Amino acid sequence: VSVQGRANFKILRDTSTLRNRKSFPTSAPNTPVSKGQSCPTGNDAQSSNGTSAQFSSRLSDRHMCTVLLVLVVGLSFSTRLYKITEPPHVCWDETHFGKMGSYYINRTFFFDVHPPLGKMLIGLAGYMTGYDGTFPFMKPGDKYEHHNYWGMRGFCAVLGSLLPIFAYLIVLELSRSETAALIAASLLIFDTGCITISQYILLDPILMFFIMAAVLSMVKFNQPFSASWWLWLVLTGVNLAGALGVKFVGLFVILLVGLNTVWDLWRLLGDLSLSLVDIAKHFLARVVGLILFPLFFYVTVFAIHFVVLNKSGPGDGFFSSAFQSRLIGNNLHNASMPEYLAYGSTITVKNLRIAGGYLHSHWHLYPEGVGARQQQVTAYLHKDYNNLWLVHRQNTQSPTPDLVRHGDIIRLEHKETTRNLHSHLHEAPLTKKHFQVTGYGNNGTGDANDLWQVEVCGGQKGDLVKVLRSKVRFLHRATGCVLYSSGKTLPKWGWEQVEVTCSPYLKETPSSQWNIEDHINPKLPNISLSVLKPHFLEILLESHIVMIRGNSGLKPKDNEMNSKPWHWPINYQGLRFSGVNETEYRVYLLGNPVLWWMNLASLGLYLIMVAVASVALQRGFSLKHSHVLMRGGGLLLLGWLLHYAPFYTMGRVLYYHHYFPAMLFSSMLTGITLDILLKSADLLLRPPYSDWLQRAGQLVLLFTVLHSFYLFHPLSYGMTGPLAHEPGSSMAGLKWMDSWEF
Amino acid sequence: MHLLGLPLVVTAQVDLVLVLVSLLAFWTRLSRLSYPNAVVFDEVYYGQFVSLYMKRVFFIDDSGPPLGHMILAFGAYLGGFDGNFLWNRIGADYPSSVSVWSLRLLPALCGSLCVPLVYLLTLELNFSHLAALGAALLLLLENSLIVQSRFMLLESVLIFFVLLAFLSYLRFHNAPNRFSWLLLSGASCAAAVGVKYMGVFSYLLLLGVASLHTWNLIGDHTLNVCVQCVCRFMCLVVVPVLLYVFWFYIHLGLLSHSGPHDQLMSSAFQASLQGGLSRITQGQPLEVAYGSQVTLRSSASQPIPCWLHSHRANYPVRYENGRGSSHQQQVTCYPFKDVNNWWIIKDPGKQKLVVGSPPQPVRHGDVIQLVHGMTSRFLNSHDVAAPMSPHAQEVSGYIDFNVSMAAQNLWRVHISNREAESDVWKTILSEVRLVHVNTSAVLKLSGVSLPDWGFRQLEVVAEKLFKGHSSVLGWTVEEHRYGTSQEQKEREAELHSPTHIDIDRKMSFWAKFLELQWKMLTVKQEDSEHKYSSSPLEWITMETNIAYWLHSSTNAQIHLIGNPVSWGVANLSLLAYQLLAAVYLVRRRRGIKDLPDAVWCRFSCLGCVCVGGWVVNFVPFLLMEKTLFLYHYLPALCYLYVLSPALLEHAHTHLLSSAIQRQALGVCVSAVLLTVFLSYRNFCPLTYGSPELSANQLQGLRWRETWDILYRHR
C-alpha cells in the first residue's frame, strides 16, 4: 500500500504543471496564479489556485479575513452564552460533574471512570467564580437557588464557543479557502446540538476543546525548527494530554495525531535532500513534544488530583488498603488495631489484585443451574457490613484470643448470615475451570468443606499473620484449591458484583492473594499501624486500572433504551437534558437535523468525489482541487472515522453525545467538500456562469443553515408549553421522526 | 485426411513430488478413519444437524451458514445414514448401522487436499518447488490439522476453500484472461463464507488484493479497463453473493418440515413449513373479523416466543417491595400453547361474541375490545404501575371491585405493515399494535419474568412512550377461527376443539432467506466459558489443548495439540518477515534498493497473502466476545506454514552471500525438518488415539504445565 501511496505522491508532483489544462480551456496554461481567496497565513508552499477576485489586493484580503474571523467569534460566543443560566436547575449529567467539581472544592476523595482534568477545571472555574462547593447536586431538576452555578456553566460555554473558531482556522489551514472555512464554522455555530452540549456543566465541551485545539496545532505545525514550529509542537502535546486527561475518548485524537506524525515522518524519510541527522532531529523533536511532554503533563494532572483530594470520601473502597491509608478520615488513616490476626476477630478481607473487592456474601442464593443452590459469595468494591467475617478455629469456639499462624486451619463465618465460607467440586458460575465458592451451614455449623488453610506468602510454618501487611492465601482443605477473585462481573442475579472462585491452579498471583484490612477484636490491644505509604506511580497505575474496570463495567441495562452507534449520524434520537411534561422547561439535546443530514450526505459525496479524482489521477489527469480534497479531506475523514468507528466495538453503554467529537470532524469535512463541489462548477459551465452558480449555491447553503437554526433553536434555548405533537407548540410540525422526544 | 495424418500423442507432465505429498496426505488423514467408533468432541454438535437434514426438519444454527452442515450431511447421505442416532454425549459409541467412515470422509478429504493446495499456492507465489515442498511438509506433519480433519468438523473444509480461492486467484493473476480461474476463485470464496462466517475475512483480504491489482490496471492505457473491471467484479462479487444465497436456497429446499426451532421464526415462516403451525393454521379464515377467536403471538423472539395469556389469578394486592396493584386478573405472555391463550375480538358497540354473516373484518384504526375466552374478562389497562416495570402501565383482565376504577378496555388496532399487506387485519401476515384508547399506551411484552405469584410467566405492560419500531410492541394472530357459540359453556368447548377450514399461503424464497439470515445473525446463545475454551493470545504459544475423546475404559485419547516445533517455526517466520519488511521499506524509502523490483514485488505479494491472511484470521478474534477454542486459530496457522519456507528461500537467495552460509542454512533447515517429524511422531498417539499410552508416557507428553491431559485411575 505504501508503495502505491508514494506513486500517487509522485504523480501529484509531476503533473502539477498540468493542473489547469483541462479546466481552463480559454486561459493560457501557465497564467500566474493569484492568491485570490486564500489568507496569507505564512505558508504558501501548497496553496490552491484561486479562481476569482483577480483584482483584490493583499491588503483588503487580510482585512476581509479579520472581519470574517471576528464575525465567527461574535456569532459563536453569542449563540453559546445566550440564556446560559437557564434553566436554573440541575440538568442531566450536571448532577455528576457538578458534584465532582464540588468534591475538588471540598477536597473529598471520589471515584469516577474518567480521568480528573475535566472535573478539576470545572471545580476551578466554580472556585474562581465564587461557588463554595456546598450545593449537593443530588438529582436532575434540583433548583440551584442562591448557589453560584453560572461560573461553571460559563466556563464550559466559553470552551464550547471556541470550537467553531478552531474549526474555521483548521479548515482555512487545510483548504486555504475562506468559503470552506465559513461553511464549516457556520455548521457548528448553528447546530443546536453543539449549542446545547456546550451550555451545561459537562465534560464534553472541555474534551472537544482539547481535541480541536490539538488538531489545530497539528495542522499549523509545518515550518521546521522555527520558533512557531516549536510552539505549535508543544501546544499539540499539551492539548493531547488535556484531551486524554478529560476522557479516555481523547485516545482517538492521539491516534489521529500519531498517524499524521507517522505519515509526516515517512514523507521526511523519503526526502533525500535531508540527511539522516536531520531526520533524527525531526524524530526526536516529535518524541519529546508529542510523547514525553504530554506524558509529563498528564502525570502532573494526576499528581495534583491526588494532592488536592486528601480527605476520605465515597470512592475509598475501590482502592487498595495502602491507598486508603493516605486519606484523612478513612479508618486506615493512622489506623490503630490489633497487629496480628487472632481467632474470634471480626475482619474484612480484601483481594490484592488491583481494584479487587472485599470478600462479601449476602442473603441471596446462586440461581438454579449455577452450581449448587447455596448462598452467594462475591467480591464487592464498596464498604459494607456484609463484608465482615469472623475467624474461627476448626470446630470449637475458643475462649482465649489465640493468634492465627501460617498453616493453621480456620473457618470463616459470615457475620451477618452466619454461613461459613465453603467450596466444593461444582463449576464456578463464570470461570468454569474453577470451583464454586458459597456460603454454607447455619450458625457456624457446616461440614468439612468449610475448612481453609491460612498461608502467608513467603512465610514459614508458625509465622503470625500481620494485619494489612501480610499477603495471605486461603487453601481449601478438601479440594486443594485456592480462594480466587476472577475479576469477572456476575450477571444480574449476582448484583453485578465480582465473581469469587476457588482455583485449582496454585500459582501465586494477586488474584489469589488477600490481605486483612479491618481487624476488630476487643480482647486484644490496639496498636497504631503505619502502613507503607504507596509510591506515586503505584497510585497512578492503580487508579488507571480502577478507571478502566469501571468503564468496562458500565454495561447496558436490559430495560433501558440504549443508543446504538448507527443511530447517531442520522440523528435518530436525542437526549432529554431537562423536563418531560408540558409544564416544565424542556431542553432536548438533538443536532440540527438539516445540518446533520447535510453532513451525512456530504460524507457520501466526498467519497464519490475522491473516487472520481483518484481514478482521474490514475489515468493521468489531475483535477484542480484534488490535493486539498485528498490531503485535507482525508485527514478530516480519518478524524471522523477514528472518533466514530471504535464505538461499534465497545461493549459499554453508549449515549448520543458520544458522537459529538466525530460530528466536529464531519462538519469540517462538509465545509471542504461543499466548497470544492461548488468550485467545480467550472467543469460544467463557462466562467461567468460557473461563478454565478457558485455564488447561488453558497447563498442557498447560507439560507438553509440560518432557516433551519431558526426552526430548531427552541431545542437548545428551552421549550415550554405543549409538546410537539400538539398544535400551538413552538415545535409544531417539526417532529420529523417519531423517535424524537420533544 | 489431414487430421488423420497427425499422430495421436498424449504428453503429460506429472510432478512426482506433488503426487507423493498428496499420497502421504491421504494416508495421514484417511487411514483408520472410523476409529474411534464413538462421538468425538464437536461431532456431537454438528451431528444433530446432520440428523435433522436426513429427516428434513427445519433448524437454526447461529454458528455458521448452512453450506458446511450440508457438506457433512452429504457425506452422511452417501453412507446411508438415516438420521436415527441420538447425539447427546461425547464418547457415546456409534451403533453398527451408522457408517462412521462416510460421516468423516468429506472433511478428511478436504483436509488432505489442503496439502497439495499449499504446494501449488507456493508455486503460484513464484517460489521454488523446494519451498513448496517445505510448506507441504509443514502442513502434512501438523498434528492439530490432522486431528481437526479426521472428524466430522468444519475447519478443514473452511481451510480447503480458502486455500483454493487464493490459489485460483493467483493462477488468474499470473496468467490473466483465463477467467475460469477467477470464476473458481469467486466460487470458492462463496463456499468458504458458506461454511463459516470467518471465511468472510479471507474473502475480504482476497478482494483487497484483487482491487489493488485492478487499481494498477486502471492506469494502463493499453487495456480495455472497463471490461476488465466489470469481469472481475462479476466473478469476485456478484457470483459469490449469488452462490451464497444459493446455499440457503438448497438449505430451505431441503428442510421442509417443522422442527424444534420453529418458535424462533415468524408465524408466516412457520406456516410455510410442513407440520407444526401449518397443520394448525391450515384452513383458518384469513381476515380477522368481529367475533373472531384468536391467539396473539408476540413478534419478539426474545427472551422466548410467547402468546398473550390470562388466567384465573389476580395480581397480589401488595408486591414484595410494598407497591400496590389493582388486584385485577393477571395478563401475561405464556410460552406454551394453552386454551387460556384464546381471546375474542368484540365490537364495542355490540353485545354479541359471534361472527356475523357476512363477517365484518377489522381494519387498521378500528377500536375493539378483547375478551378472554375462558374467563370472559376484558383486556384492560389503567394508570397503575406494572408489577416488574413500574415505569409502564399495568395490563389486567378487568374486574369491577366497585372502587371507582372504571373499565378502560378500548384498544385501537394499528397495523404496522399495512403498506406491505393491506389495512385489513390478516391472520399470521399482519403485525398489529394495540393502542390503548384512553392513555394511548401500547401493549408491550416487557420481557421480564413475573415472580411465583405470576407462575414465572412473562410480564405484559402498556407503555406510554411510542418509540419508533420495535418488535416487542407487535402482535400477530396465529390461530384463528370464527366464533359461533353465544353461550359461555359452548364457547369453552369450542375453544378446546382444534381449528379447521382451509386456505393456502406461501412465503417467497427471498423473504424466507432474509428472515433466516437475520435470525441466524441475531439469535444469541448464552455464551459462557467452556472447560477447554481459550483466549486468542494463548493460541500463539499454544497454552491450551482440547481433549477431544477418551476411551471409555483405557487411557487411549485424542487431543487437539499442534506440533510445537512447527508452531515455533511459524511464529519465528512471522516475526522475521515483519522485521525484514520494515528494514527493506525504510531502506527503499531512503533510495537504497536492496532487491530488484521483481523480487521486491514477489516479496510484498508473499506478505500480503500470508501475513495478511494471518492477520485477518487472527485479529478479529481479539475483538469477539464469544467462546473461543484453539481450533479457531488453524486457518491463520496455515498461512504461516506457507510463509516460513518461502521466507527461507528468500533468505537463501538474497540475504546469504557466501556458499558456507548457504550450506549452513541448508543443514539447519534439514535439522528443523527432522525435529518437526520427530515431534509429529511423538504426539501421534494423541493425534490418532492409538496406541494407548501409560500414565508415565502421557506425563512425558505434557510439555506444558497448562495442557490438560487425562489420566484414568486404575
Side-chain angles (χ1 to χ4, degrees), chain B residues 243-297:
Chain B
L243 271 179
Y244 181 77
V245 176
F246 181 64
W247 310 143
F248 276 85
Y249 185 77
I250 305 177
H251 176 75
L252 287 171
L254 284 177
L255 305 181
S256 52
H257 291 71
S258 80
H261 297 166
D262 279 17
Q263 307 265 301
L264 294 171
M265 310 304 288
S266 69
S267 304
F269 193 103
Q270 290 185 38
S272 74
L273 297 170
Q274 292 170 26
L277 185 66
S278 73
R279 199 162 15 175
I280 301 168
T281 57
Q282 224 172 32
Q284 290 184 166
L286 181 63
E287 293 180 352
V288 176
Y290 291 108
S292 282
Q293 301 173 349
V294 296
T295 61
L296 287 163
R297 181 183 193 264

Side-chain angles (χ1 to χ4, degrees), chain A residues 162-163 166-167 170 173 206-221 231-244 249-258 260-261 289-290 294 635-636 643 664-665 668:
Chain A
L162 292 173
L163 299 178
F166 287 166
I170 292 169
E173 187 66 33
I206 310 176
L207 171 73
M208 291 196 284
F209 164 80
F210 281 117
I211 289 177
M212 289 296 268
V215 176
L216 178 65
S217 353
M218 175 182 82
V219 299
K220 285 274 185 189
F221 152 69
L231 177 72
W232 287 120
L233 177 66
V234 169
L235 275 181
T236 314
V238 170
N239 288 315
L240 288 184
L244 187 64
V249 175
L251 274 176
F252 300 146
V253 73
I254 293 182
L255 210 56
L256 176 69
V257 173
N260 186 66
T261 311
L290 298 179
L635 185 71
L636 296 176
H643 283 86
L664 299 177
F665 287 96
M668 290 191 283

Side-chain angles (χ1 to χ4, degrees), chain A residues 493-566:
Chain A
W493 56 256
W495 312 99
E496 278 138 21
Q497 296 175 4
V498 181
E499 185 195 36
V500 167
T501 64
C502 193
S503 163
Y505 306 100
L506 298 181
K507 216 158 76 180
E508 279 193 9
T509 62
S511 302
S512 61
Q513 294 173 336
W514 305 77
N515 73 359
I516 315 296
E517 191 174 290
D518 296 292
H519 185 221
I520 304 156
N521 196 332
K523 295 181 186 162
L524 291 174
N526 285 349
I527 290 166
S528 178
L529 296 171
S530 60
V531 185
L532 283 176
K533 288 266 189 278
H535 193 260
F536 171 66
L537 289 180
E538 286 168 17
I539 304 179
L540 190 68
L541 182 71
E542 184 177 345
S543 58
H544 273 84
I545 291 180
V546 174
M547 279 190 286
I548 290 167
R549 281 264 165 75
N551 249 320
S552 54
L554 293 174
K555 288 271 185 288
K557 300 253 165 33
D558 283 346
N559 50 0
E560 260 178 36
M561 173 79 181
N562 55 55
S563 183
K564 301 264 179 357
W566 63 265

Side-chain angles (χ1 to χ4, degrees), chain A residues 39-115:
Chain A
C39 267
T41 43
N43 177 19
D44 290 342
Q46 287 175 327
S47 69
S48 70
N49 305 331
T51 53
S52 59
Q54 303 248 339
F55 307 105
S56 54
S57 69
R58 264 168 186 264
L59 197 70
S60 72
D61 269 345
R62 187 164 288 168
H63 192 66
M64 171 84 167
C65 215
T66 326
V67 169
L68 285 179
L69 191 59
V70 169
L71 182 71
V72 169
V73 172
L75 280 174
S76 187
F77 275 89
S78 51
T79 47
R80 265 71 178 166
L81 292 174
Y82 176 62
K83 284 196 172 178
I84 185 74
T85 52
E86 295 277 310
H89 57 244
V90 177
C91 289
W92 195 53
D93 269 0
E94 284 189 338
T95 171
H96 298 301
F97 302 120
K99 194 191 297 171
M100 292 169 187
S102 314
Y103 282 141
Y104 279 102
I105 296 175
N106 301 327
R107 309 192 64 174
T108 312
F109 189 78
F110 65 95
F111 164 72
D112 185 35
V113 295
H114 304 300

Side-chain angles (χ1 to χ4, degrees), chain A residues 1-4 6 8-9 266-276 279 427 429-433 488 505 555 559 561 572-573 576 611 614-615 618-620 649-651 735 738-739 741, chain B residues 212 215-221 223 225 388-389 391 444 446 448 465-469 528-534 538 544 585-591 593 600 604 608 623 625 705-706 708:
Chain A
V1 177
S2 53
V3 181
Q4 194 59 37
R6 208 169 79 111
N8 279 344
F9 189 68
W266 188 245
R267 188 180 56 77
L268 291 172
L269 192 67
D271 185 349
L272 297 181
S273 65
L274 291 175
S275 70
L276 280 177
I279 291 173
E427 277 181 352
L430 300 177
T431 316
K432 305 275 182 193
K433 296 172 188 179
K488 294 174 190 162
Y505 306 100
K555 288 271 185 288
N559 50 0
M561 173 79 181
Y572 179 76
Q573 196 172 39
R576 280 208 198 89
S614 39
V615 167
Q618 187 78 355
R619 295 293 285 179
T649 63
M650 282 187 200
K735 198 176 168 198
D738 279 342
S739 46
E741 305 143 316
Chain B
L212 205 68
W215 182 246
N216 290 337
L217 222 61
I218 289 179
D220 190 342
H221 287 261
L223 281 170
V225 173
M388 310 307 289
S389 321
H391 56 280
K444 177 186 160 181
S446 75
V448 185
L465 298 168
F466 193 80
K467 269 187 221 155
H469 178 82
S528 59
E529 202 172 279
H530 186 275
K531 180 154 191 270
Y532 289 105
S533 63
S534 45
E538 292 170 357
T544 50
L585 268 177
V586 170
R587 285 172 66 88
R588 280 177 83 83
R589 189 73 188 160
R590 291 302 291 173
K593 294 203 171 176
W600 170 247
S604 47
C608 278
L623 306 174
E625 284 177 357
E705 273 289 292
T706 46
D708 232 330

Side-chain angles (χ1 to χ4, degrees), chain A residues 113 152 298 313 323 366 397 422 469 471 561 617 651 690 714:
Chain A
V113 295
M152 292 185 276
Y298 181 73
F323 187 101
Y366 284 105
Q397 298 281 342
H422 176 99
R469 280 170 292 185
K471 296 174 179 176
M561 173 79 181
L617 209 60
S690 64

Side-chain angles (χ1 to χ4, degrees), chain B residues 42 192 223 254 325 420 434 539 578 607 626 691 706:
Chain B
D42 266 358
L223 281 170
L254 284 177
S325 82
L434 294 172
W539 301 340
Q578 287 168 348
K626 59 178 222 173
T706 46

